[in-house]
């Protein structure tokens, strides 16, 4: 039996979970939310112990140190010292063409993760920070990296390759890599078991501060909304998603922005933040309920983009058995689910609005009984998926 500490550093959050493997028993878990915003939130749970507080967490390093303090604290902790941890598993967003499997972190791996910063500017930096802080706090513990891009290695060449000169694919490996693979893999496997159909056609919709969709056919990823970097596809918290590339040239050539400034705009100043002034959907939904027109429009735009991808992925799979809503927004925003599923009866998608409003921590159907397509809300569990891969690695 081994204790595996999972560290999942997102763009504005840090999840952590201590899991005893192979029994999959969660000893403690928590999340630091709204990192870098005015008022950060910390939640921690271990058995009957529950901690919830607001504080200032300026960066991911501070967040991870606070999480570790809770794990080792006399009153709230579940471990006495570093030796109680067999391995620390880290979610790393972008593995480029170098990492398609779980690997032990060493100096070379960290350098390669850093070299991929430009492809995942909101995620690889905090991912690496998580590794470096964990090395500092747990110097004798094995650090293991699990890559979000790995699940998408089954995407066929016709979907993976861009219509640009071949040399950029052959010499520079410019292609669709895909992200959120740990989450999409976990929830799609859960869905396959739930509907009891291995040869299934599923669309996994991961909605958080970062958002993506995956077409999963027979358990394998065959297309994905994010691409070479994590800024394509859906409208996200601070990222634009799909945009005419001419806009980028206009920003640089006509408006005088540098390429770095244009990248900053599209990655950190766009999306829901650019449309409303807020990146947190909870704030946006509250303002929309109060009548804010910019927030109403932003929610409609968000759902509209998701609908387009549902139609596209149903087409390439020649049918659809289920759609999955997962991650923070997908699991908790009944409003987004309602807007996405509205007027989708032609595709066999019929939402039960009453059931949609009900909350649950378990997998659940929110479709009408007569709906041809199952509409599933499945809590993602990237940490458990990472723990499984880490435990297999250290055996």
């Amino acid at each position: 039996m081994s204790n595996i500490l999972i560290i999942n550093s997102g763009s504005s959050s840090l999840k952590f979970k201590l899991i005893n493997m192979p029994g999959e028993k969660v000893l403690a878990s928590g999340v630091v939310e709204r990192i870098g915003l005015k008022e950060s939130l910390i939640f921690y749970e271990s058995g009957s112990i529950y901690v919830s507080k607001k504080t200032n967490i300026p960066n991911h390093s501070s967040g991870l140190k606070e999480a570790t303090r809770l794990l080792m604290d006399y009153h709230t902790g579940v471990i006495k010292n570093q030796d109680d941890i067999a391995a620390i598993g880290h979610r790393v967003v972008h593995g480029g063409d170098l990492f398609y499997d779980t690997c032990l972190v060493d100096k070379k791996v960290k350098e390669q993760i850093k070299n991929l910063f430009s492809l995942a500017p909101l995620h690889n930096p905090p991912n690496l920070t998580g590794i470096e802080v964990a090395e500092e706090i747990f110097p004798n513990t094995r650090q293991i990296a699990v890559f979000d891009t790995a699940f998408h290695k089954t995407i066929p060449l016709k979907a993976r390759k861009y219509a640009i000169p071949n040399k950029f694919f052959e010499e520079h490996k410019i292609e669709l890599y895909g992200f959120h693979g740990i989450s999409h893999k976990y929830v799609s496997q859960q869905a396959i078991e739930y509907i009891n159909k291995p040869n299934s056609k599923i669309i996994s919709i991961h909605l958080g501060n970062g958002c993506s969709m995956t077409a999963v056919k027979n358990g394998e990823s065959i297309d994905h909304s994010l691409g070479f970097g994590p800024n394509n596809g859906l409208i996200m918290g601070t990222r634009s998603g799909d945009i005419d590339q001419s806009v980028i040239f206009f920003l640089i050539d006509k408006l005088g922005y540098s390429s770095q400034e244009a990248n900053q705009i599209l990655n950190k100043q766009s999306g829901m933040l650019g449309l409303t002034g807020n990146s947190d959907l909870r704030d946006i939904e509250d303002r929309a309920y109060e009548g804010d027109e910019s927030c109403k429009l932003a929610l409609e735009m968000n759902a509209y983009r998701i609908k387009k991808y549902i139609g596209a992925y149903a087409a390439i799979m020649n049918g659809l058995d289920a759609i999955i809503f997962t991650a923070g927004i997908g699991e908790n925003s009944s409003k987004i689910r309602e807007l996405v599923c509205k007027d989708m009866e032609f595709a066999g998608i019929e939402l039960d609005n009453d059931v949609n409003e009900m909350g649950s921590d378990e997998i659940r159907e929110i479709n009408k009984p007569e709906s041809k397509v199952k509409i599933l809300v499945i809590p993602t569990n990237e940490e458990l998926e990472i723990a499984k891969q880490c435990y297999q690695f250290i055996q």
Side-chain angles (χ1 to χ4, degrees):
M1 298 176 68
S2 303
N3 291 333
I4 311 292
L5 176 61
I6 308 305
I7 296 173
N8 184 346
S9 298
S11 55
S12 63
S13 65
L14 186 147
K15 297 179 182 178
F16 59 96
K17 190 171 289 187
L18 187 63
I19 303 176
N20 184 261
M21 298 295 289
E24 301 182 5
K25 181 180 180 181
V26 177
L27 303 179
S29 64
V31 61
V32 185
E33 295 184 336
R34 300 193 182 199
I35 293 174
L37 299 180
K38 285 184 177 180
E39 201 170 59
S40 304
L41 305 173
I42 298 176
F43 302 96
Y44 174 85
E45 185 174 6
S46 176
S48 60
I49 299 171
Y50 187 78
V51 177
S52 174
K53 66 178 181 179
K54 297 178 180 179
T55 186
N56 178 37
I57 303 292
N59 52 49
H60 287 74
S61 179
S62 298
L64 183 54
K65 288 177 180 177
E66 176 63 17
T68 304
R69 186 193 67 77
L70 288 167
L71 287 169
M72 299 177 66
D73 183 79
Y74 178 78
H75 298 288
T76 63
V78 291
I79 57 173
K80 295 180 179 179
N81 54 56
Q82 293 92 330
D83 295 335
D84 290 336
I85 304 289
I88 300 178
H90 299 268
R91 173 199 178 213
V92 180
V93 165
H94 210 311
D97 67 329
L98 301 171
F99 303 107
Y100 283 116
D101 294 300
T102 298
C103 71
L104 188 68
V105 175
D106 57 19
K107 183 178 180 181
K108 183 178 180 181
V109 169
K110 288 189 289 182
E111 289 174 352
Q112 290 170 326
I113 292 172
K114 189 172 184 178
N115 289 337
L116 294 166
F117 276 10
S118 62
L119 300 184
L122 292 183
H123 291 87
N124 270 34
N127 295 161
L128 182 58
T129 296
I131 292 171
E132 291 174 337
V133 174
E135 286 178 327
E136 175 188 336
I137 299 172
F138 301 93
N140 300 317
T141 305
R142 285 171 287 188
Q143 311 289 330
I144 299 172
V146 179
F147 295 88
D148 252 334
T149 46
F151 180 58
H152 302 296
K153 62 184 178 182
T154 53
I155 293 176
L157 189 60
K158 64 183 179 182
R160 204 162 29 93
K161 191 174 180 182
Y162 294 114
I164 56 177
N166 286 325
K167 67 178 181 179
F168 294 109
F169 173 75
E170 295 165 356
E171 299 174 17
H172 303 286
K173 308 299 182 183
I174 296 177
E175 60 181 272
L176 186 157
Y177 288 105
F179 304 94
H180 296 141
I182 299 167
S183 175
H184 287 298
K185 179 180 180 180
Y186 178 83
V187 298
S188 61
Q189 289 176 340
Q190 294 288 306
I192 289 169
E193 292 177 9
Y194 182 84
I195 66 176
N196 194 26
K197 191 174 182 181
N199 298 322
S200 56
K201 301 168 183 178
I202 294 170
I203 297 175
S204 175
I205 309 171
H206 178 107
L207 304 177
N209 192 57
C211 304
S212 68
M213 292 173 61
T214 302
V216 182
K217 189 173 183 179
N218 303 333
E220 294 186 344
S221 171
I222 65 165
D223 206 349
H224 181 73
S225 61
L226 295 170
F228 182 61
N231 193 37
N232 204 45
L234 308 182
I235 296 171
M236 302 173 233
T238 65
R239 284 171 272 173
S240 65
D242 287 340
I243 191 169
D244 181 350
Q245 57 266 40
S246 300
V247 174
I248 301 171
F249 303 138
F250 187 84
L251 289 172
I252 295 171
D253 298 336
K254 296 296 183 182
L255 300 185
Y257 290 97
S258 67
S259 62
Q260 184 176 4
E261 289 170 333
N263 185 54
Q264 182 85 356
I265 290 170
L266 296 177
N267 272 290
K268 296 189 177 182
Q269 300 172 18
S270 297
M272 301 301 274
L273 177 64
L275 293 171
T276 69
N278 281 99
S279 62
D280 193 303
L281 195 83
R282 292 167 291 192
D283 298 329
I284 295 167
E285 287 188 353
D286 287 344
R287 288 172 55 195
Y289 180 78
E290 294 167 358
D292 189 305
E293 293 300 326
S294 67
C295 291
K296 289 181 182 179
L297 177 59
L299 292 174
E300 291 172 357
M301 291 173 65
N302 192 309
Y304 182 81
R305 186 74 58 85
I306 296 169
K307 284 174 180 275
K308 289 174 68 174
Y309 274 89
I310 291 175
Y313 288 168
I316 66 168
M317 292 191 291
N318 190 27
L320 186 59
D321 294 307
I323 62 173
I324 303 166
F325 288 96
T326 192
I329 293 171
E331 295 169 29
N332 296 300
S333 176
S334 59
K335 183 62 176 178
I336 285 292
R337 297 194 298 262
E338 175 190 345
L339 291 173
V340 168
C341 296
K342 184 179 180 182
D343 299 327
M344 293 286 279
E345 292 84 3
F346 81 97
I349 298 171
E350 298 186 57
L351 181 73
D352 185 319
N353 288 307
D354 292 333
V355 177
N356 181 44
E357 293 295 332
M358 299 177 184
S360 174
D361 293 331
E362 305 294 330
I363 182 172
R364 67 190 191 276
E365 287 185 38
I366 58 172
N367 51 274
K368 293 180 179 178
E370 62 268 25
S371 179
K372 295 180 181 178
V373 174
K374 297 288 188 185
I375 307 172
L376 305 176
V377 179
I378 303 180
T380 192
N381 197 334
E382 294 167 300
E383 293 81 12
L384 179 56
E385 181 63 34
I386 293 170
K388 289 178 179 180
Q389 295 189 38
C390 288
Y391 183 72
Q392 291 174 355
F393 186 86
I394 65 176
Q395 291 308 295

